[in-house]
Amino acid sequence: MMSGMTEMEQNLQRQFKDSDKTLEQPLLLIGNPNNRRTLGLQEARQRLGLQPALVLPYARLLKTWRKGGTMADAVQQCLKGEVAAHTHGAKWTSSPASMSYANHDSVYGASNVPLIRMDAPGEEWEVERELLFLGAVNDTAQLTDGTSARMIPAEQTLALEQDWGQIYAPGQWFRGWKACLERIGREAREFWPNARFMNDPHDIAIMFDKRKCQQHLSSHGVQIPPMLPSSELISNYEDLRLAMKAAGMNRVFVKLACGSGASGVVAYQINPRTGAEIAITTVGMERVQGKTIFYNEGRMRRYTCTSEISPLMDWLCAEGAQIERWMAKASLGSSVFDIRQLVAGGQAGHAVVRLSQTPITNLHLRNERLLPTEAGLDEQNMERVQTAAKAAMAAFPNSWSAGIDVMLSGGTEHRAYILDVNPFGDLLYRVQHKGLGTYEWEMKLLREEPYNHD
């Protein structure tokens, strides 16, 4: 065995050199084969003349763990060609002949260490079930601090049939996702001590929990919307109403702590004079066999009856919710807007303005998208956005890139506030920066400045 190297590192070591004597940093991509993120990244690497990333499918990794194996076992299977992800007839998983892993030694002045990119685990039902299973068997780190979140027994999770749009036990899913992140970080460092993560698994877990993320940002001096103060845990609708009254906060966003893509986001308002209330959300509800089923409807719903709002808020609070002031956003015409700003390697890159006539601006809800120049955002306001986004990214020094959601306050004196930090927020369509798409820009940055944080 070579000094300082594990047997696994020897198996993965295939140093390569191109014609101009530069050394390419190999990339291990943990994601879902064939989805738009994996395809977009691989196509970007191909256009730049980079070797394809080795794809380790989440489904393979989670199954390997469940059967008593390790991450190293799953990677070995990929290297042996036992797992193949095909795109348009091309084999995107890399064989040992085409994918290279090396130790930390420098060759031609470049540090050739494996770089691990973790991508979003969503959009694949098999992975969702495995994470629910993992959440069921890892119930010691409760997301909800003991509140009555719904649980799916471990033995039932792997047999669940998918009902499109239904939100299945999000607190349990998040426990599984956190356990997955923790184990990836631990096993990667155990088997490949010289490996690096684009985004640190511990950071990803914080970014995914909206409560912890906003607290983390605030502790680093980053401007965020004020959180609803409460001396007690807000565990249901009644607690929420009491806390809002005590704080004099009549408009709040109630957000599923581990939600993404506007899943479980509610804009909630109470008229302090009449007591009338309204909840604007994408969450639909149905009563099935005596139970309330919650699902993403893909369009905005307005609830004005307590009999509807109360079970919605009870569910959100039980699963774990981030509750913050509903601040007035800057507007363009009759629409309010915020900005998704991509930050990578300390640089502000692609930006998309998201406009909506509702409080929720996510683009998949058929909201309008514009480039900053098309929206008339001047240099001063974009400087505010980019400065805030870079400050948010800097609060995670062990992570390299994220899509940062930034709002500018309404009125004449705009201030920038961070709404969300998405570790997988680089999937942006029809927008370029320096003539490159998001994945091409990121891969070009990595090629020019290999990422080697300690």
Side-chain angles (χ1 to χ4, degrees), residues 141-150 167 169-175 178 208-212 215 233-236 240 253-260 263-266 311-324:
Q142 291 285 340
L143 173 68
T144 56
D145 298 321
T147 54
S148 55
R150 184 175 298 172
I167 306 172
Q172 178 177 340
W173 179 93
F174 187 51
R175 284 196 301 277
K178 287 196 297 183
F208 245 85
D209 187 332
K210 298 184 191 308
R211 298 167 302 178
K212 287 187 177 181
Q215 292 165 2
L233 176 69
I234 297 175
S235 59
N236 55 40
L240 173 64
F253 271 104
V254 183
K255 304 177 180 180
L256 188 63
C258 59
S260 61
S263 177
V265 174
V266 181
L312 174 61
M313 294 305 184
D314 286 347
W315 171 71
L316 284 172
C317 292
E319 294 289 347
Q322 160 69 7
I323 307 170
E324 62 193 38

Side-chain angles (χ1 to χ4, degrees), residues 222-282:
V222 178
Q223 290 293 313
I224 62 169
M227 290 180 278
L228 177 64
S230 177
S231 59
E232 302 290 337
L233 176 69
I234 297 175
S235 59
N236 55 40
Y237 169 77
E238 293 298 333
D239 290 348
L240 173 64
R241 296 268 302 200
L242 289 172
M244 291 174 66
K245 182 177 180 180
M249 197 178 286
N250 300 316
R251 288 168 28 118
V252 296
F253 271 104
V254 183
K255 304 177 180 180
L256 188 63
C258 59
S260 61
S263 177
V265 174
V266 181
Y268 179 55
Q269 182 173 347
I270 301 172
N271 185 318
R273 183 172 56 85
T274 66
E277 56 187 335
I278 183 171
I280 303 170
T281 182
T282 61

Side-chain angles (χ1 to χ4, degrees), residues 340-357:
R340 166 63 62 87
Q341 176 67 63
L342 178 60
V343 177
Q347 301 184 35
H350 305 67
V352 173
V353 179
R354 311 182 302 182
L355 297 99
S356 177
Q357 296 194 1

